[in-house]
Structures are given as structure tokens and as C-alpha cells.
């Protein structure tokens, strides 16, 4: 008698910048044979489009009017995730300092969040229907985008640890010293947590994982174990 394949699993991983969300999420997805979605890249993509097309990113009304114009497509292969805007590869451009400095303001506009949230939900639904599931990382996945996710994780870390990690990721003219990076992270936290629409917050049923003293491998193993336990409980 054949054993039924495990039901698709939806994993939501939230948390502020520098907690290891991207590295963790991609690795967990790869280990479990799931798809992967970086929702932050989508907000960066629409921000990059706004900048490239002369939209005033300090004007919420202008952002709202333009929000529906770009076509954003996310590839969900954890080994090679992609992001395109109107058919153009945006993986590099969305990581610039200019985009980083403006993405919080753009992503706080309700019209932007509504459009991107709908896109994220459709991608998750497709993964649940066509594959074993998906790992979705962001800031409001467990609370707003996918409140019924099977597993919810909220990653945290001290500001010092996050700043050290983020400084190590930056290269060339975009590199910043530790103090400046820490200040920027704290400012971003305040903006993301304080916005009226879908703020950064831990879902009530999320498992909090403090990554300050953990290696990446330890964090990955922790989440993989939680997902496998969830799957086992369904059999």
C-alpha cells in the first residue's frame, strides 16, 4: 500500500532586518523541498520602480496612484530565487543603498501593501496546490499575509549582532561602519513596527527564535525540526 504524500505546508518566517531571515528561509526551503518567497524583495522591487520612474517616494498619494503600474514576478526556487520588474532582472538594483533608504516609506502606503499582499497570497496558494508548500519570509507574514500558516516563526537578535551581520554583507561604496548600520537598523525597526498598515509584529502563535548566539545551522535545524514535527502530526 502506497503512503500518501505529506500535505503541503506553509511556513511563515518573520522578523526585523539582520536576524538571518533570508539565509535561514532559503536553507529551510531547500532542505524540505519547498518553494521560497522573499517578500521584502517585492517591496524593494516596487520601490526601485518608483525611483526609476520619477515617483516622489516622500509623497504617499503619488505612490498610491502608481502602485498598480509595475509588474513584479518572483521566482520561488530556493537555490536561485529571482525578482523581475516589467521583465527586467531587479535582483541587483533592489539591494542598493537608495532603495534601502526609501523602502520603508513606500511599503507603508496601504495601496502598496494591499497589492503586494495579494501577490504574496497568490504565490503561496499556487505553491500549496502545485508543490509541497512554501517558506515565506517577511515582516507581516504570520500576522497579515498568511495568518493561517502551518508554522509561524519570529526571528529576533540583538541590535549589535544584527548590525555586525549587516555590515559584513555590505560591500564597496555601500559599506557602512557598525555604529551607522546599527542606527539605520533601529530606525528601520521603528518605521516597520510603527506603521499603521500591517506593522512588523510577532503573531500570537509564532515560535520566537533568538538568533543572537546561534549559528545559522542551528537556526535552520530548529525550524526544520518544527516543520517535520508538524508534518508527522498529520499522518
Amino acid at each position: 500500500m502506497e503512503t500518501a504524500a505529506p500535505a503541503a505546508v506553509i511556513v511563515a518566517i518573520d522578523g526585523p532586518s539582520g536576524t538571518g531571515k533570508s539565509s535561514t528561509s532559503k536553507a529551510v526551503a531547500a532542505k524540505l523541498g519547498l518553494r521560497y518567497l522573499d517578500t521584502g524583495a517585492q517591496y524593494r522591487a516596487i520601490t526601485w520602480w518608483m525611483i526609476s520612474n520619477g515617483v516622489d517616494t516622500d509623497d504617499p498619494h503619488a505612490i498610491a496612484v502608481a502602485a498598480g503600474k509595475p509588474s513584479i514576478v518572483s521566482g520561488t526556487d530556493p537555490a536561485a530565487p529571482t525578482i523581475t520588474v516589467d521583465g527586467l532582472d531587479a535582483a541587483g538594483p533592489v539591494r542598493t543603498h537608495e532603495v534601502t533608504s526609501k523602502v520603508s516609506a513606500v511599503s507603508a502606503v496601504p495601496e502598496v501593501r494591499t497589492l503586494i499582499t495579494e501577490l504574496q497570497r497568490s504565490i503561496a496558494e499556487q505553491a500549496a496546490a502545485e508543490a509541497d508548500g512554501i517558506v515565506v519570509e517577511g515582516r507581516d507574514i504570520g500576522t497579515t499575509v498568511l495568518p493561517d500558516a502551518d508554522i509561524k516563526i519570529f526571528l529576533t537578535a540583538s541590535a549589535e549582532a544584527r548590525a555586525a551581520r549587516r555590515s559584513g554583507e555590505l560591500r564597496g561604496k555601500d559599506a557602512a561602519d557598525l555604529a551607522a548600520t546599527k542606527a539605520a537598523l533601529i530606525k528601520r525597526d521603528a518605521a516597520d513596527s510603527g506603521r499603521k498598515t500591517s506593522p512588523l509584529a510577532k503573531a500570537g502563535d509564532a515560535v520566537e527564535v533568538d538568533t543572537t548566539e546561534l549559528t545559522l545551522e542551528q537556526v535552520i535545524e530548529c525550524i526544520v525540526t518544527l516543520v517535520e514535527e508538524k508534518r508527522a502530526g498529520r499522518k
Side-chain angles (χ1 to χ4, degrees), residues 197-219:
T197 305
S198 301
L200 164 67
K202 175 189 170 186
D205 55 348
V207 176
E208 184 170 328
V209 179
D210 188 335
T211 70
T212 303
E213 301 294 336
L214 299 178
T215 65
L216 176 60
E217 290 72 23
Q218 288 172 323
V219 179

Side-chain angles (χ1 to χ4, degrees), residues 39 43 113 116-117 120-121 136 140-148 198:
T39 63
Y43 285 107
R113 298 209 74 83
I116 298 297
T117 294
Q120 292 161 0
R121 286 174 177 161
V136 184
D140 64 341
I141 310 307
T143 54
T144 301
V145 180
L146 300 169
D148 295 324
S198 301

